[in-house]
Amino acid sequence: MFKLNKLIQNVLLAFVMACSITSIFKATPYSWLTIDVLHIPVIFIVFLVLTYFIAEDVRDTFKKVFRFQQRKDKRPIWQVGVGMIFYFSQVGFVEVFVRNLMVFDLGGMPMYLVFSFMNAFLMTVIYEEIFYPKLSKNQTPKLHN
């Protein structure tokens, strides 16, 4: 289960990085950067493969920056990390593959950001139930006196 957890996080993180880079190059005037095959940008496929190889190092770097190993309660950090990965993967998907959904807004805020946030929250809760069932059952807060 631990390897599957790492694999899912690494694939989604590589997807996020590839979407970010692809969306930057999507607006360039160079036609060879905007070639699509079956509505999938070729540059996205190249960056997805390249970023998959560095995804584990990126995750480890974030853990070092946030001092994940020194924390007594590791739960909030991984929840924020997994939620962030889910959120940005959905935002990246819209920015690269379905740009026509970017025009809708909800009171001035882009609708795809609102839905991505709600979905990421729900996906994080479901992910916790699947991969961290012990933590989800021990949710009684400790009161400090």
Side-chain angles (χ1 to χ4, degrees), residues 24-36:
I24 290 171
F25 288 119
K26 198 85 163 151
T28 60
Y30 305 113
S31 61
W32 60 274
L33 287 175
T34 58
I35 298 172
D36 292 347

Side-chain angles (χ1 to χ4, degrees), residues 2-130:
F2 179 72
K3 288 185 180 188
L4 182 62
N5 180 16
K6 278 178 61 171
L7 177 70
I8 290 171
Q9 288 182 17
N10 287 343
V11 167
L12 285 175
L13 193 58
F15 182 82
V16 168
M17 291 186 288
C19 283
S20 299
I21 297 169
T22 304
S23 65
I24 290 171
F25 288 119
K26 198 85 163 151
T28 60
Y30 305 113
S31 61
W32 60 274
L33 287 175
T34 58
I35 298 172
D36 292 347
V37 175
L38 299 174
H39 301 287
I40 300 172
V42 173
I43 195 166
F44 171 78
I45 297 168
V46 171
F47 282 125
L48 183 64
V49 171
L50 292 175
T51 55
Y52 179 74
F53 291 114
I54 65 166
E56 182 68 30
D57 294 332
V58 170
R59 283 182 58 239
D60 290 339
T61 302
F62 274 107
K63 286 180 181 180
K64 288 177 186 174
V65 167
F66 292 121
R67 297 185 176 133
F68 184 72
Q69 299 303 330
Q70 287 99 11
R71 295 175 56 92
K72 291 179 184 174
D73 185 16
K74 294 180 169 59
R75 186 166 176 245
I77 290 290
W78 74 258
Q79 281 181 330
V80 170
V82 169
M84 178 206 68
I85 291 171
F86 285 139
Y87 174 74
F88 283 116
S89 62
Q90 293 174 68
V91 169
F93 178 79
V94 170
E95 288 180 350
V96 173
F97 296 104
V98 250
R99 289 184 78 84
N100 57 341
L101 294 178
M102 293 176 71
V103 297
F104 303 108
D105 65 355
L106 182 67
M109 184 158 194
M111 187 86 83
Y112 75 101
L113 295 179
V114 174
F115 279 108
S116 295
F117 183 78
M118 292 187 308
N119 288 338
F121 176 75
L122 291 174
M123 290 170 70
T124 304
V125 171
I126 294 168
Y127 194 82
E128 177 182 5
E129 290 294 325
I130 294 171

